[in-house]
Amino acid sequence: MGTTGRRLRADAERSVRTILEAAERLLRENPGATMEQIAEAAGVARATVHRRFASREALIETMTISAWQEIAEAVDAARPYTAPPLVAMHQATANVLQIKSGWRFALGALPQSGAEAARIHDEVMAKCDVVFTRAREAGLLRQDADPLWARQVYLALIGEAAHSSAAAKPLSGGDLDALATRVIDTLLHGLAPHRPT
Amino acid sequence: MGTTGRRLRADAERSVRTILEAAERLLRENPGATMEQIAEAAGVARATVHRRFASREALIETMTISAWQEIAEAVDAARPYTAPPLVAMHQATANVLQIKSGWRFALGALPQSGAEAARIHDEVMAKCDVVFTRAREAGLLRQDADPLWARQVYLALIGEAAHSSAAAKPLSGGDLDALATRVIDTLLHGLAPHRPT
DNA sequence: GATATCTGCAACACTCACGTCTCAGTTAAC
DNA sequence: GTTAACTGAGACGTGAGTGTTGCAGATATC
């Protein structure tokens, strides 16, 4: 799918988009949702879904790849290699939250190894680790902090933040910054009162 | 199921246990696992599974209830109302980690409202909130911390800690305390270096 | 040791989702 | 305006999973 041969006609391309969005919306609430239901939600005949995606599996794979590509772009846009670590973290967090709130299903389970999405996923993780290393060198993280645990916690916090923004669909810029701040702040300082300096 | 009429014979009771454990093990890795596969993993005929559990749905519900009951006991054992907040938190965390690492599937998705499991779940959450309130009053948490966010972060950290202990099955007492300490410490102080007091 | 219960095996009916195909009508592209 | 691509509708075959049943043999229970 996706990179399959000839360009699609404009309306077909629109169908693909609509189906992907509907699938995300449905599968988010019920991972067992039917192709029938997805088609209906997309305002399209079931046959059309099968025309655009060889199988249910292929549909989900396309969703996953698409979502991870957006995540990768979101991370890159934060200039993880050059921006000051705290800035990069905040910016990346905000960007990723934006994407993640829209692809909660597709990004839910980590892509199975071997898949194209897994490659992108690994790239993103690598960049994430770079930022964390830079953050540690800048004194933002403890020297002795377990890098794996740090990343794990960070990703979990992002997940939770994206989850809590389930209600508000559009997620304005202000909300994004507030959420990102909360994530970073919790990650770095936890929820205990700040010690007097 | 479970509370259905007459007592089961000893061997039947054993079957039930075996099936529940096998189901947890299988479904953890593949939520779409078949009754057939579960039966095989339990070393039992498929028909037997259906004899003990009216339907796949019933099987999963029993698992969920059972798991949440254990969680509730784990929390109670930490004396959330009377022990010093930090002690209660640590103890409850360790206890819950123990249970959660064994029921990762059953405790994965929050029980659908109306179900028996949901009642227990709510009770547990209420007790969790009590501990957090006490912790705040004791100065362990910021006065202005959003209680929902605090709980969300706490649960997420527990989830991550239980996840990382996937490899080591038995999870010795020492491991438990180490994990619990890590969870509480991260929750309260984050990953930044401690400020000089 | 008599009895009720549990089990494996094997067959069965049933449902449901998937994927395919055809055809007539619509719509973009050039 | 012609052509090629796309779509909806409907029917079809298929496979897999579910849940049921009957029976003969094993096993707890008293």
Side-chain angles (χ1 to χ4, degrees):
Chain A
M1 289 291 96
T3 359
T4 307
R6 190 185 62 268
R7 278 183 67 88
L8 293 176
R9 224 172 68 175
D11 52 351
E13 198 112 28
R14 219 179 316 138
S15 288
V16 171
R17 279 285 171 89
T18 317
I19 293 169
L20 288 175
E21 285 165 15
E24 164 62 36
R25 209 164 354 110
L26 275 265
L27 292 171
R28 178 183 303 178
E29 293 181 5
N30 171 22
T34 303
M35 295 294 261
E36 174 82 52
Q37 296 174 298
I38 293 174
E40 189 185 347
V44 128
R46 190 170 66 93
T48 299
V49 179
H50 281 103
R51 272 188 207 105
R52 297 291 149 233
F53 303 96
S55 69
R56 179 196 176 80
E57 202 185 351
L59 166 60
I60 293 180
E61 191 188 340
T62 304
M63 290 171 61
T64 310
I65 293 177
S66 176
W68 277 106
Q69 274 172 347
E70 290 189 32
I71 290 283
E73 290 166 16
V75 170
D76 286 339
R79 294 193 305 280
Y81 294 102
T82 56
L86 195 53
V87 174
M89 283 177 72
H90 181 95
Q91 195 58 46
T93 303
N95 292 352
V96 167
L97 276 175
Q98 166 105 296
I99 306 299
K100 187 144 192 167
S101 69
W103 287 109
R104 232 181 320 147
F105 169 80
L107 299 172
L110 49 85
Q112 46 195 8
S113 60
E116 163 71 1
R119 228 208 53 238
I120 309 180
H121 169 271
D122 291 347
E123 278 180 23
V124 171
M125 287 306 131
K127 281 169 191 163
C128 177
D129 287 341
V130 167
V131 175
F132 272 44
T133 302
R134 293 184 61 217
R136 204 186 55 190
E137 286 165 357
L140 289 172
L141 294 176
R142 290 186 211 168
Q143 294 296 329
D144 64 337
D146 177 356
L148 259 68
W149 175 247
R151 195 177 75 185
Q152 217 176 334
V153 170
Y154 173 61
L155 295 180
L157 290 178
I158 286 198
E160 293 305 316
H163 198 101
S164 68
S165 73
K169 300 289 163 63
L171 212 53
S172 76
D175 293 342
L176 273 181
D177 278 323
L179 278 177
T181 301
R182 175 184 254 187
V183 167
I184 303 287
D185 189 57
T186 303
L187 175 71
L188 295 183
H189 305 118
L191 298 174
H194 281 157
R195 305 244 189 91
T197 4
Chain B
M1 289 293 96
T3 0
T4 305
R6 191 186 60 268
R7 279 184 66 90
L8 292 176
R9 225 171 68 176
D11 51 351
E13 199 112 29
R14 218 179 317 138
S15 287
V16 171
R17 279 285 170 90
T18 316
I19 293 170
L20 288 175
E21 286 165 15
E24 165 63 36
R25 208 161 1 107
L26 274 266
L27 293 171
R28 176 183 303 175
E29 294 181 3
N30 172 22
T34 302
M35 294 295 260
E36 174 83 52
Q37 297 173 297
I38 294 174
E40 190 185 347
V44 129
R46 190 170 65 92
T48 299
V49 179
H50 280 104
R51 273 189 206 101
R52 297 289 149 236
F53 303 96
S55 68
R56 178 195 178 81
E57 202 183 354
L59 166 60
I60 293 181
E61 192 187 341
T62 304
M63 291 171 60
T64 311
I65 293 178
S66 175
W68 276 106
Q69 273 171 346
E70 291 190 31
I71 290 283
E73 291 166 17
V75 170
D76 286 338
R79 294 192 303 281
Y81 294 102
T82 55
L86 195 53
V87 174
M89 283 178 71
H90 181 95
Q91 195 57 47
T93 304
N95 292 352
V96 167
L97 275 175
Q98 166 105 295
I99 306 300
K100 186 145 191 165
S101 70
W103 287 109
R104 229 180 323 145
F105 170 80
L107 298 171
L110 49 85
Q112 45 195 10
S113 59
E116 164 72 2
R119 227 208 55 236
I120 310 180
H121 169 271
D122 291 348
E123 278 181 21
V124 171
M125 287 305 131
K127 281 169 190 165
C128 177
D129 287 341
V130 167
V131 176
F132 271 45
T133 303
R134 293 183 63 217
R136 206 187 55 192
E137 285 166 357
L140 289 172
L141 293 176
R142 290 185 211 169
Q143 294 296 331
D144 65 337
D146 177 355
L148 260 67
W149 175 246
R151 195 178 75 184
Q152 217 176 333
V153 170
Y154 174 61
L155 295 180
L157 290 178
I158 286 199
E160 293 305 317
H163 197 101
S164 68
S165 73
K169 300 287 163 67
L171 211 53
S172 77
D175 294 342
L176 274 181
D177 278 325
L179 277 177
T181 301
R182 176 184 253 187
V183 166
I184 304 287
D185 189 59
T186 304
L187 175 70
L188 296 182
H189 306 118
L191 299 174
H194 281 158
R195 304 243 191 92
T197 359

